[in-house]
Amino acid sequence: MTIKQRLFISHILMIIIPVLLSLLASVIAFLMVWRYFWGLDEGAMIKNTEFRAQYATVESLVIKWDTEKTTDAEVVADMQHFKKTNHSKNIALLVYRGDKLISSVGEVTDQKMKETALKEEGEHSYLKDQTFLTTFDTSNYKIILINSNYYNDLYYQDPLWDRDYKAMLSRIIVLVVILILSIIFITSRVLTRYLTRSITDPLELLTVGFYKIREGDLQYQIQYTKQDEFLPVSKDFNGMARQLKEMMDNQNKLETNRRELIAGISHDLRTPLTSIKAYVEGLEKGIANTPAMRTKYFTIVKKKIDDLDQVIAQLFLFSKLDTGEFPFNLVTTTSKKLIDEYIGFIQQEYELNGLTILLEPTDQNVSLEVDPVQFRTVLTNLFENARKYVDRNDKQVVVSYEVVEEQFILSIIDNGSGVSEENLEDLFELFYRDDRSRTNPSKGNGLGLAISKKIIEGFNGTIQAYNHPAGGLAIVITLPVKSKRK
């Protein structure tokens, strides 16, 4: 779920949840009011309805009689009217002036309760079993109202129950309002906390990741799987960490190559320079004291200078190839013309120098876009390596090519002892030479294969080396085919 969706749902829930919970609280409050005033005692309230009307009538009479002008005759008359209109068999109404009974309606079932009420000063109410008694005082009279069939409605003992109802209802309304506000506050806190954590947690992961990267732990990866806006950020962070690691590895590799380059240049320049210095000193000190020796010394010095010139020229070529500044003269030519004709031209020369070049016949002839001069430089470098490093008297290379899925594949396999597996990957590195060539620097300077790789890559191709199962080193060059020719 995305953060936008969470925000939207959170806002909806901020409305829905408080409304639902508020409705629930209101329903509960209503049930509480109903239970308090009409619930379990609803039957009692209904049964006491007649008594409440009688009680209200008595209250009206009490108010009427509460004056000095009221006469006993008037009281008796009102009592007769009450008997006709409001009296029931369970009701008794008695009016006393002092201890004298002025008038009464109905029968008193509990004389002791009546006597107790007469003795008490002021207005009182009594409840015993199903008998309810209440007293009223006026200036001249004491009135006693008795209900012998009163239902024990504890919540309605005071017939003026409307006042209790309103007070209770007010308290419940206040509680409901407080409850609704609490629901809104708690809902807001919970949803805000959930939403905040959905943002802060991934931010904390990113912060930890940045600290790890800053401390140099480039292998650190953020583990985040939620489908939200932070997922692509986490993936980009992990991709950045991988790229940084690759950059650092490349930087370290470049630094290693730089050191090896300096060491290689120093080695390949120092060796001929040392020889030149030695022979020049021999000439200077008169060691070469015959014309023949001086001629020999001069010849050696000239050859060493030519070697230096070749190393410098190859370094210059590699530098231009490495920076992409070398101007390739790309033309479209055929494999027959590029390879078959060139091998036919140099076969005899190499055979005189101890290397046999065999070209496997093929009918395939495809078009390639290359720089013919530089491509032949590559072939020359490969043939020269075979001539120098194959440790056999019958030195031989087999050249073959084929076309597979629009790719031109050229294989050059010698009959030497190959290269150790751990050194295969370094074979095309600058100044790389196997242990045998290092013991004999005159055989090569480690630039040929590095230059060959740069040239082939300039043609959008690849060059690889592997040990052939039948023995010997195999160099495989792959180039894109421009078009096929029959």
Side-chain angles (χ1 to χ4, degrees):
M1 184 185 297
T2 65
I3 293 176
K4 289 182 180 179
Q5 291 173 332
R6 291 176 190 168
L7 283 170
F8 177 76
I9 294 174
S10 176
H11 290 154
I12 296 298
L13 292 178
M14 282 285 290
I15 298 173
I16 293 176
I17 292 178
V19 169
L20 293 177
L21 292 179
S22 299
L23 289 174
L24 179 62
S26 301
V27 170
I28 294 173
F30 172 77
L31 292 175
M32 290 174 61
V33 173
W34 180 84
R35 183 180 181 83
Y36 188 84
F37 290 102
W38 294 284
L40 296 177
D41 299 305
E42 184 176 4
M45 182 192 73
I46 293 172
K47 293 175 182 179
N48 289 331
T49 300
E50 182 183 13
F51 174 66
R52 292 181 184 285
Q54 295 165 339
Y55 190 99
T57 301
V58 173
E59 278 190 321
S60 300
L61 292 175
V62 169
I63 294 171
K64 179 181 178 182
W65 296 338
D66 192 13
T67 173
E68 294 291 340
K69 296 180 179 181
T70 303
T71 64
D72 293 346
E74 291 176 339
V75 171
V76 171
D78 290 336
M79 290 286 285
Q80 292 299 320
H81 181 72
F82 176 82
K83 182 177 181 180
K84 293 178 181 180
T85 57
N86 291 280
H87 182 255
S88 63
K89 63 178 181 179
N90 300 318
I91 296 297
L93 181 62
L94 299 90
V95 180
Y96 287 86
R97 179 192 290 272
D99 294 331
K100 182 181 177 182
L101 179 63
I102 302 298
S103 178
S104 67
V105 174
E107 296 182 2
V108 178
T109 56
D110 193 331
Q111 294 294 331
K112 186 178 290 185
M113 181 181 287
K114 183 197 75 171
E115 296 298 330
T116 302
L118 285 174
K119 293 178 183 178
E120 295 287 340
E121 297 289 338
E123 296 182 349
H124 300 282
S125 295
Y126 306 90
L127 180 64
K128 179 181 179 183
D129 297 330
Q130 283 187 285
T131 301
F132 173 77
L133 183 151
T134 186
T135 62
F136 303 91
D137 283 341
T138 67
S139 57
N140 295 320
Y141 303 101
K142 188 177 186 69
I143 300 98
I144 298 177
L145 176 63
I146 303 172
N147 183 356
S148 60
N149 192 30
Y150 183 80
Y151 291 90
N152 189 10
D153 179 2
L154 297 178
Y155 298 105
Y156 300 107
Q157 291 179 12
D158 182 1
L160 299 179
W161 64 279
D162 285 341
R163 289 177 295 179
D164 293 338
Y165 171 79
K166 292 177 182 178
M168 185 64 183
L169 186 61
S170 299
R171 288 194 293 269
I172 290 179
I173 290 174
V174 172
L175 290 175
V176 168
V177 171
I178 294 173
L179 182 60
I180 290 173
L181 293 176
S182 300
I183 289 170
I184 294 173
F185 175 76
I186 294 171
T187 303
S188 175
R189 289 287 297 174
V190 171
L191 292 177
T192 302
R193 181 178 178 82
Y194 167 75
L195 188 61
T196 301
R197 291 196 61 176
S198 69
I199 297 175
T200 56
D201 287 352
L203 285 177
E204 289 177 0
L205 287 176
L206 287 172
T207 302
V208 171
F210 282 120
Y211 278 116
K212 292 287 186 180
I213 295 297
R214 189 179 68 178
E215 293 168 1
D217 185 5
L218 300 181
Q219 292 182 335
Y220 181 80
Q221 296 283 287
I222 294 177
Q223 303 300 323
Y224 191 80
T225 56
K226 291 183 179 179
Q227 299 295 322
D228 57 23
E229 288 83 352
F230 284 103
L231 183 60
V233 176
S234 301
K235 290 182 177 178
D236 290 341
F237 178 90
N238 292 337
M240 178 195 70
R242 286 192 293 269
Q243 289 181 352
L244 283 174
K245 186 176 186 306
E246 290 175 2
M247 290 173 59
M248 291 301 296
D249 291 343
N250 290 336
Q251 184 66 30
N252 294 334
K253 186 177 180 180
L254 288 173
E255 183 65 22
T256 302
N257 290 342
R258 185 186 66 82
R259 290 195 296 267
E260 291 179 353
L261 175 62
I262 294 173
I265 292 174
S266 301
H267 178 274
D268 286 290
L269 293 180
R270 183 168 59 248
T271 301
L273 283 174
T274 302
S275 298
I276 292 171
K277 181 179 178 181
Y279 284 108
V280 169
E281 287 179 353
L283 290 170
E284 182 182 20
K285 294 178 180 179
I287 296 174
N289 52 12
T290 64
M293 288 186 66
R294 284 195 293 272
T295 301
K296 179 181 177 182
Y297 274 35
F298 279 121
T299 301
I300 294 174
V301 169
K302 185 176 181 300
K303 184 178 182 305
K304 296 300 181 182
I305 291 173
D306 290 339
D307 291 343
L308 280 174
D309 185 61
Q310 183 185 9
V311 171
I312 293 170
Q314 286 186 314
L315 280 172
F316 183 72
L317 174 61
F318 179 84
S319 175
K320 281 189 167 294
L321 289 169
D322 192 41
T323 57
E325 297 178 358
F326 187 82
F328 286 115
N329 182 25
L330 298 177
V331 298
T332 301
T333 183
T334 65
S335 57
K336 292 284 187 183
K337 193 172 186 179
L338 187 66
I339 298 171
D340 296 32
E341 290 184 7
Y342 178 67
I343 290 177
F345 178 73
I346 63 171
Q347 268 180 322
Q348 187 176 2
E349 180 184 349
Y350 271 100
E351 193 166 350
L352 293 174
N353 287 296
L355 176 66
T356 301
I357 302 176
L358 300 177
L359 176 63
E360 291 188 352
T362 179
D363 294 332
Q364 291 183 314
N365 190 24
V366 295
S367 294
L368 303 170
E369 189 173 34
V370 296
D371 184 334
V373 175
Q374 298 306 323
F375 188 81
R376 287 166 186 164
T377 298
V378 173
L379 293 179
T380 301
N381 287 338
L382 298 178
F383 295 152
E384 283 296 315
N385 280 349
R387 185 182 65 82
K388 293 175 183 177
Y389 299 129
V390 172
D391 51 357
R392 298 175 57 148
N393 293 327
D394 56 338
K395 300 176 182 180
Q396 175 183 291
V397 293
V398 177
V399 181
S400 62
Y401 59 84
E402 61 180 338
V403 177
V404 179
E405 297 181 353
E406 298 300 315
Q407 294 292 315
F408 176 78
I409 302 174
L410 172 66
S411 300
I412 300 173
I413 306 172
D414 64 38
N415 62 343
S417 56
V419 178
S420 60
E421 291 294 332
E422 61 270 17
N423 292 331
L424 278 175
E425 293 184 1
D426 300 324
L427 202 59
F428 297 97
E429 297 297 328
L430 191 63
F431 287 109
Y432 172 78
R433 290 175 298 201
D434 65 9
D435 294 337
R436 292 170 294 168
S437 64
R438 290 184 185 277
T439 61
N440 188 6
S442 64
K443 281 190 175 183
N445 51 36
L447 287 168
L449 289 179
I451 291 173
S452 298
K453 180 181 179 182
K454 292 294 181 182
I455 291 173
I456 295 300
E457 289 176 349
F459 301 155
N460 295 320
T462 60
I463 182 169
Q464 295 176 311
Y466 66 91
N467 289 314
H468 196 269
L473 180 67
I475 303 295
V476 179
I477 297 173
T478 302
L479 294 171
V481 173
K482 187 171 183 182
S483 62
K484 289 186 177 181
R485 286 188 182 180
K486 295 183 180 179

